[in-house]
Amino acid sequence: MVSRDGAFPDVRPRRLRTTAAMRRMVSETSVEPRQLVLPMFVAEGLAQPREISSMPGVVQHTRDSARKAVVEAAELGLGGVMLFGVPERKDATGSGAVADDGILNVAIRDVREEVGDALVVMSDLCLDEFTDHGHCGVLTADGRVDNDATLAIYAEMALAQARAGAHLLGPSGMMDGQVGVIRRALDQAGLTDTGVLAYAAKYASAFYGPFREAVSSSLEGDRRTYQQDPANGREALREVALDIAEGADIVMVKPAMGFLDVVASVRAAVDVPVAAYNISGEYAVVEAAAAKGWIDRDAAIAETLLSIRRAGADIVLTYWASEYAARLAR
């Protein structure tokens, strides 16, 4: 707005940007360690952590290194960790996912022994890491993902993970009815305190590539028959509403960066906490550009996390969680 005589502006928003202290005082959005969740991969049979080439700085953990990482996460004040298991052997039904001695269930017990309730221990509830075909469910004779047969296995997985000690289960397979089946199984077993963090709006994204390496995926083809079409936004609100009606305690949008509009729409539509997953490809893009000297790495990380929070996410799953929390502490 310019003054009546046209000489000077009457309103000067720049006054609130003059110093770092001023900018800090009027900042609308913050990222705090308690809002961050660290995804972790725990692999069976490793003698030492294995680097993930497409995700510099991220590893497949051994059981011992995972224990150390979660202790650090707790000391840094993170909100939680999301555990993924990487088995040595896979089969058509993902039997390792329900076995008491399966790597994910073992890792959950390890982590709870280390940190107790100091962190929210979350576990990925999906078959893709455990199946030899790499899909999130079991297959029919003609190769389609069988939604309802998969739900029966998800119920078993839910009980195994809850009994191992997970505080929150993260069903990520995008099977119709998965939250309701899991909630009923937990409640009928008396596991009423175990929560469900629903991957309510999970899109079939090109940015999952590095994750496939991280979990040693066997996938051939794609998951477009069950993950959402990136062209669709309203559909996400329907999926979210269904999951809440089925008993979800928290809903999540995945990926985050390409779907900030969806995060904002979900936040406006629901009264439960909203999470967003800053996924492997989003991480890798920043790391690769920074390694080339094309962007300021620390500033890009901060801007990425701020944008996800600004869009409305209460909780951000990010591979930078511990690093960023340590930076805040300094």
Side-chain angles (χ1 to χ4, degrees), residues 13-27:
R14 286 182 58 188
R15 291 190 187 111
L16 298 183
R17 305 173 196 149
T18 52
T19 68
M22 182 73 77
R23 294 189 295 272
R24 185 171 61 247
M25 183 180 72
V26 301
S27 177

Side-chain angles (χ1 to χ4, degrees), residues 9-328:
D10 285 342
V11 180
R12 295 179 182 269
R14 286 182 58 188
R15 291 190 187 111
L16 298 183
R17 305 173 196 149
T18 52
T19 68
M22 182 73 77
R23 294 189 295 272
R24 185 171 61 247
M25 183 180 72
V26 301
S27 177
E28 300 172 13
T29 307
S30 63
V31 179
E32 302 174 26
R34 67 178 180 84
Q35 298 159 335
L36 302 178
V37 172
L38 178 66
M40 294 175 54
F41 308 102
V42 186
E44 191 172 29
L46 291 186
Q48 59 187 13
R50 177 189 293 146
E51 293 184 0
I52 299 167
S53 64
S54 54
M55 299 176 69
V58 181
V59 300
Q60 290 181 341
H61 281 284
T62 66
R63 289 176 62 186
D64 285 342
S65 69
R67 285 176 178 269
K68 294 174 184 176
V70 297
V71 169
E72 178 189 33
E75 291 172 346
L76 288 167
L78 295 189
V81 292
M82 174 64 79
L83 301 177
F84 297 86
V86 185
E88 288 185 293
R89 291 171 296 281
K90 305 178 183 185
D91 58 34
T93 61
S95 60
V98 299
D100 284 342
D101 60 353
I103 183 58
L104 180 53
N105 298 322
V106 168
I108 294 168
R109 286 193 290 271
D110 286 346
V111 168
R112 282 300 305 274
E113 286 175 6
E114 287 294 330
V115 298
D117 294 330
L119 280 175
V120 179
V121 177
M122 311 176 188
S123 54
D124 181 60
L125 200 163
C126 193
L127 286 175
D128 59 328
E129 297 102 299
F130 296 92
T131 55
D132 54 14
H133 47 74
H135 277 289
C136 297
V138 292
L139 304 182
T140 62
D142 60 358
R144 294 179 297 109
V145 174
D146 188 327
N147 191 96
D148 295 1
T150 299
L151 294 182
I153 300 174
Y154 282 6
E156 292 184 61
M157 290 179 69
L159 296 179
Q161 292 180 6
R163 287 166 177 157
H167 295 103
L168 282 175
L169 310 184
S172 60
M174 288 299 287
M175 297 296 116
D176 292 341
Q178 61 185 15
V179 171
V181 164
I182 289 166
R183 185 71 269 159
R184 283 193 297 275
L186 293 171
D187 290 350
Q188 288 170 4
L191 298 164
T192 55
D193 286 342
T194 305
V196 177
L197 188 167
Y199 286 60
K202 183 178 180 182
Y203 286 87
S205 172
F207 286 86
Y208 293 136
F211 182 88
R212 306 274 162 81
E213 179 190 355
V215 297
S216 303
S217 174
S218 307
L219 181 68
E220 295 182 6
D222 59 51
R223 297 176 175 140
R224 295 183 183 276
T225 63
Y226 47 102
Q227 293 178 353
Q228 285 184 250
D229 183 345
N232 294 352
R234 292 189 301 272
E235 180 185 41
L237 297 180
R238 184 186 187 203
E239 291 276 10
V240 166
L242 287 167
D243 280 358
I244 292 175
E246 292 176 16
D249 300 287
I250 302 171
V251 293
M252 183 154 69
V253 177
K254 181 181 181 181
M257 291 302 294
F259 300 89
L260 294 178
D261 60 322
V262 177
V263 175
S265 294
V266 170
R267 176 65 285 161
V270 306
D271 59 3
V272 300
V274 175
Y277 199 141
N278 177 211
I279 67 168
S280 60
E282 296 166 349
Y283 174 93
V285 165
V286 171
E287 292 290 343
K292 289 284 189 179
W294 294 340
I295 59 173
D296 180 322
R297 180 179 180 274
D298 287 354
I301 293 170
E303 188 173 326
T304 296
L305 300 181
L306 274 170
S307 69
I308 299 168
R309 286 276 299 117
R310 191 183 65 247
D314 304 291
I315 302 161
V316 182
L317 282 74
T318 177
Y319 301 98
W320 291 304
S322 291
E323 176 187 342
Y324 194 77
R327 189 194 309 179
L328 292 176

